Amino acid sequence: MRKSEIDSMGFEDGRITGFMPRFRSIDDDWERYTDALVELVDRGVVAHEKGRSLYDLYLQDLNEWLTEFYFEEKRFDQIEAHYTPSGEVSFGPISDGHLTVLDRLQAMGEGARVRRIWRSHMGLIKGEFWWYISERNAGFRIAKYYQASEQKQSRDYEKLISRIPTMKQELLAIMADYRKTAEMTGASETELTRIHADIAAIDAEKRPRPKGKPDPRRMDENLFWDLIDEGLTDQPIGERIDTLPERLAAFKATAIRDFEKIQRSLDARAYRWDVWALAYLLQGGCSDDAFEDFRGWLILQGREVFEGAIADPDSFDVTLHSGTASGINGLRDAAPVAYEMRQGKAMKPVKMPLMDVAGTEIAEENFASALPRVAALVGR
């Protein structure tokens, strides 16, 4: 945030006065607000009690406060983007705070947005459930890269799959709530039929096997992108991750394995310093793990966005990013889950060489100068 903006700010009743959202995203305004708060603490304008974090003192209700600005301006696209999971969620129901926002959207006639947010959340937690099921069905196997004894690995495996009964009951309860919301917001018969089918599959702990002969097409990069791009314009990321395994299961086993090889090769193509700089600038920081998540998210944005970012990271459309980015786990799980649906057994791991960050190394403090256009647009 610019010094001139902070100079005009004060502090009263636990809140910065004079702060105005930019309305790029709630996450972006959260970061701007916290940057301003730290600066005001340094200037002595805001008191900071020793032993207590700024979050505990002043930020616990910041998300709700910022969201109110967006509701007042009817910035429904940004609200939807903020409350739609971007690729990873903790297993469990939507939080009470999020449900309050969804109820408000529903009351304002935005039922379609409410269903999209629900579908994204449901798609992601269903994906986690099905991963646990696939691990159980594959049985215990020793992981050579894991520095632990066979006995410990076996105990860890048993502990992991012992969660399945509880997860199943939680998921069925969440799906029942989802069904009620879908019915109240005018979901189509097709959508309701899909919900009923999902509930039946979860209850049986088994996804339906593909019917008919497998699609004979060879999996190449064009077909890979066709599968990734399907639903890109009208489905949330969580829903697309959820349906990807069943769409992929329509192909032969060799094609499913080739899908994973292509996904890994694209991930490696994006493992570059300038793309890391892009992720850092968009997110206000980016660890190694966060960059891995970002690359998965970038692939899930579709071929045009991915190839544009690879060709010139500084040309990236920053409006596509709403503060967080993930999805690599859903991508990596797609082929193994699809293979099991097609073949009825676990897929052997696809071996790929270790990756090194490509391109000329860029120091963190030089990320903004390396991508000046993006840096200027996001205020870095």
Side-chain angles (χ1 to χ4, degrees):
M1 181 173 289
R2 295 181 179 88
K3 179 178 179 297
S4 58
E5 291 181 87
I6 298 175
D7 288 342
S8 64
M9 294 178 186
F11 195 77
E12 186 177 337
D13 297 329
R15 187 70 71 206
I16 294 175
T17 58
F19 176 88
M20 289 302 298
R22 285 196 310 193
F23 295 110
R24 191 175 81 84
S25 73
I26 294 175
D27 286 297
D28 177 65
D29 285 320
W30 170 287
E31 186 178 340
R32 293 177 59 245
Y33 187 97
T34 54
D35 286 347
L37 182 65
V38 170
E39 177 63 25
L40 291 173
V41 168
D42 290 342
R43 295 183 182 191
V45 176
V46 178
H48 185 195
E49 298 176 25
K50 188 175 181 180
R52 296 190 65 188
S53 70
L54 290 177
Y55 180 83
D56 288 338
L57 288 168
Y58 305 119
L59 300 174
Q60 292 196 43
D61 62 345
L62 179 59
N63 191 68
E64 292 80 5
W65 186 74
L66 288 172
T67 300
E68 187 61 35
F69 281 100
Y70 282 74
F71 268 114
E72 289 175 359
E73 295 290 324
K74 293 184 170 54
R75 303 275 183 153
F76 297 136
D77 286 346
Q78 289 93 334
I79 293 172
E80 180 180 348
H82 180 71
Y83 288 95
T84 298
S86 61
E88 307 295 341
V89 295
S90 298
F91 189 90
I94 296 177
S95 70
D96 289 342
H98 280 48
L99 286 174
T100 299
V101 171
L102 297 185
D103 288 344
R104 191 169 177 182
L105 284 171
Q106 184 174 334
M108 298 176 77
E110 297 293 329
R113 295 185 190 276
V114 172
R115 292 197 303 277
R116 286 197 294 267
I117 295 170
W118 261 101
R119 289 202 304 271
S120 193
H121 182 88
M122 294 307 311
L124 293 168
I125 63 172
K126 281 189 292 178
E128 184 173 353
F129 174 77
W130 290 121
W131 178 82
Y132 272 77
I133 295 296
S134 68
E135 285 295 298
R136 182 193 65 188
N137 294 347
F140 172 69
R141 60 272 193 210
I142 299 173
K144 296 179 181 178
Y145 58 84
Y146 183 30
Q147 298 300 313
S149 66
E150 180 178 349
Q151 186 178 28
K152 184 178 186 309
Q153 289 190 46
S154 178
R155 287 198 305 268
D156 290 345
Y157 174 78
E158 292 299 327
K159 184 177 179 180
L160 183 143
I161 64 172
S162 70
R163 291 191 58 200
I164 290 176
T166 301
M167 292 178 71
K168 174 181 172 179
Q169 294 309 311
E170 289 181 359
L171 182 52
L172 287 172
I174 299 165
M175 288 293 294
D177 289 339
Y178 169 42
R179 177 171 55 192
K180 290 179 184 177
T181 300
E183 291 169 346
M184 291 172 59
T185 55
S188 67
E189 284 300 318
T190 299
E191 186 170 349
L192 293 173
T193 299
R194 170 68 191 230
I195 295 171
H196 293 311
D198 282 343
I199 290 173
I202 293 163
D203 194 39
E205 300 180 15
K206 186 176 182 180
R207 295 181 85 157
R209 294 286 298 274
K211 296 180 180 179
K213 294 182 179 180
D215 191 314
R217 287 178 292 173
R218 184 177 66 85
M219 185 65 63
D220 57 16
E221 196 164 309
N222 288 328
L223 184 52
F224 174 94
W225 283 119
D226 286 345
L227 289 166
I228 293 294
D229 288 352
E230 187 173 334
L232 186 61
T233 59
D234 59 356
Q235 292 180 338
I237 193 169
E239 184 177 6
R240 290 168 52 229
I241 289 174
D242 175 40
T243 60
L244 181 56
E246 63 188 61
R247 290 185 278 120
L248 184 54
F251 293 85
K252 293 181 178 179
T254 52
I256 295 172
R257 285 180 59 82
D258 287 341
F259 179 94
E260 177 154 335
K261 292 176 183 177
I262 294 168
Q263 179 263 308
R264 298 264 188 121
S265 69
L266 292 171
D267 183 28
R269 279 182 61 195
Y271 196 42
R272 293 189 343 211
W273 283 107
D274 52 357
V275 179
W276 200 330
L278 173 64
Y280 183 98
L281 294 171
L282 291 172
Q283 300 177 164
C286 189
S287 66
D288 196 5
D289 288 343
F291 185 37
E292 187 175 34
D293 283 336
F294 178 84
R295 298 195 305 274
W297 175 86
L298 189 60
I299 293 171
L300 287 165
Q301 299 313 296
R303 185 172 199 165
E304 182 177 354
V305 171
F306 178 85
E307 293 186 344
I310 295 300
D312 180 12
D314 200 33
S315 69
F316 188 81
D317 180 0
V318 299
T319 64
L320 296 173
H321 189 273
S322 61
T324 57
S326 55
I328 193 67
N329 287 339
L331 270 176
R332 286 178 176 169
D333 292 345
V337 171
Y339 189 95
E340 183 182 333
M341 291 171 68
R342 166 57 62 187
Q343 297 295 100
K345 61 182 181 180
M347 184 178 86
K348 292 182 179 179
V350 172
K351 294 181 179 180
M352 297 292 287
L354 294 175
M355 298 189 301
D356 291 319
V357 189
T360 303
E361 183 173 354
I362 306 172
E364 186 177 301
E365 60 269 22
N366 294 327
F367 282 165
S369 59
L371 304 180
R373 174 186 167 277
V374 168
L377 289 172
V378 298
R380 306 295 181 203

